[in-house]
Amino acid sequence: MSLFWRIFALNAVVLGAATALLLWAPVTVSVPVLLTEAVILVGGLAVMLVANAALLRLGLAPLDRLTKLMTTVDLLRPGQRLPASGAGGVAELIRTFNAMLERLEQERAASSARALLAQEAERRRIAQELHDEVGQSMTAILLGLKRSADDVPEPQRRELQELQEITRASLDEVRRLVRRLRPGVLDDLGLVSALTSLSEDFATHTGLLVTRRFDTDLPPLAPETELVLYRVAQESLTNVARHADAGRVTVALRRADDGVVLTVTDDGSGIEAPREGAGIRGMRERALLVGGRLDITPAPRAGTRVRLTAPLARKQL
């Protein structure tokens, strides 16, 4: 039954009941209308309105649920659907909306995958150029300064040595940027070694205490899954350094029944509700790239917990 005929039927039931009462109830209307008759008529009208409102509320409830879902749906949290039980226009509308959400989620996942893969390719290219061009040039400058410092008198030698230290510090910064752009240890030694290097580098530059808890029986993961786990850990640690005001961070990687679970927990100021900025939305998009699920919740005692559950099999986009 279409929505039009459903509303028509509801009104017909109410009006039919009112007509039946007028035909068979011992009620008359005088001219002029008596007070008791007016009370009965107004009471009957009120009953009709209440019954009509209740029936319409019952009939249009699926549309209210659909409207609420439309205002709150987020393509970065897939799987939000409404049950489309029964038949008729409302159920067909809900089924159509669910199918539209399915298509949008698939298209969003595919476009995010293309964008993220292009981003990783660009990161790799920039890291390679920094390593090959800038890094080698600065290394040559450093060696030239060392040779020059060996052949000049003491006052100039001290200045050249200071320039050497500045150049060496800049070269170390370039190498750190290269590691952040494209962690070579991830390709060479795997995810655990990459997360270990990441946490050590984070602790060195922030002064925070980082605790690592990695299971020894982790299953083999696809390269895309390892990269997503690494990037989520990297972004989580960056958010801790910028916003959490924490003193301790725990990075854990554990085996799950159908995959692995990465958690980054800090003891900072905590959150009431995470603000969905570019960093968090980027982590959600990366999680969708491999069919994972990202949850950001308050930690049990204080601080924030970022939890990424990644399956073993890569999701086909």
Side-chain angles (χ1 to χ4, degrees), residues 219 221 254-261 291 293 309-314:
L221 300 172
R254 303 190 181 281
R255 184 180 188 127
D257 294 335
D258 57 348
V260 294
V261 179
R293 186 181 72 254
T309 304
L312 293 179
R314 182 178 182 272

Side-chain angles (χ1 to χ4, degrees), residues 136-178:
Q136 291 183 7
S137 299
M138 294 185 70
T139 302
I141 293 173
L142 189 62
L143 293 176
L145 288 173
K146 184 178 183 304
R147 286 194 301 268
S148 299
D150 294 336
D151 299 333
V152 298
E154 181 60 30
Q156 290 81 9
R157 181 180 302 173
R158 187 176 298 109
E159 293 180 1
L160 290 176
Q161 288 174 347
E162 291 177 358
L163 290 175
Q164 281 182 264
E165 293 303 321
I166 295 173
T167 305
R168 185 177 290 107
S170 300
L171 181 59
D172 291 340
E173 183 65 21
V174 169
R175 288 171 177 168
R176 190 177 72 85
L177 290 175
V178 168

Side-chain angles (χ1 to χ4, degrees), residues 60-124:
L60 298 178
L63 287 181
D64 292 337
R65 293 194 296 270
L66 181 61
T67 302
K68 186 177 297 183
L69 179 61
M70 285 180 176
T71 58
T72 59
V73 68
D74 187 354
L75 296 181
L76 293 180
R77 295 179 175 86
Q80 303 176 67
R81 301 290 187 272
L82 282 177
S85 58
V90 175
E92 182 62 27
L93 177 62
I94 294 175
R95 283 192 290 268
T96 302
F97 179 74
N98 289 340
M100 182 191 70
L101 276 185
E102 183 71 24
R103 291 194 306 272
L104 289 176
E105 288 174 357
Q106 292 177 357
E107 293 173 2
R108 175 63 183 267
S111 61
S112 297
R114 289 191 296 268
L116 291 173
L117 291 176
Q119 183 184 81
E120 289 298 332
E122 186 65 12
R123 283 173 176 260
R124 188 183 298 109

Side-chain angles (χ1 to χ4, degrees), residues 147-221:
R147 286 194 301 268
S148 299
D150 294 336
D151 299 333
V152 298
E154 181 60 30
Q156 290 81 9
R157 181 180 302 173
R158 187 176 298 109
E159 293 180 1
L160 290 176
Q161 288 174 347
E162 291 177 358
L163 290 175
Q164 281 182 264
E165 293 303 321
I166 295 173
T167 305
R168 185 177 290 107
S170 300
L171 181 59
D172 291 340
E173 183 65 21
V174 169
R175 288 171 177 168
R176 190 177 72 85
L177 290 175
V178 168
R179 288 195 302 271
R180 287 182 60 84
L181 286 171
R182 183 63 185 180
V185 67
L186 180 63
D187 299 326
D188 299 333
L189 300 178
L191 179 61
V192 172
S193 297
L195 290 178
T196 300
S197 176
L198 175 66
S199 58
E200 290 177 348
D201 186 62
F202 175 80
T204 300
H205 285 84
T206 62
L208 300 181
L209 179 62
V210 180
T211 303
R212 298 184 299 273
R213 296 174 182 171
F214 302 146
D215 284 353
T216 57
D217 59 342
L218 293 172
L221 300 172

Side-chain angles (χ1 to χ4, degrees), residues 217-278:
D217 59 342
L218 293 172
L221 300 172
E224 296 89 348
T225 303
E226 290 191 343
L227 182 59
V228 166
L229 289 166
Y230 180 87
R231 291 301 186 199
V232 169
Q234 187 180 48
E235 182 64 30
S236 300
L237 291 176
T238 301
N239 288 338
V240 170
R242 290 178 177 174
H243 310 297
D245 193 23
R248 180 191 295 269
V249 185
T250 300
V251 180
L253 186 63
R254 303 190 181 281
R255 184 180 188 127
D257 294 335
D258 57 348
V260 294
V261 179
L262 169 73
T263 57
V264 179
T265 309
D266 66 77
D267 63 349
S269 55
I271 55 171
E272 294 296 332
R275 184 172 60 87
E276 295 286 328

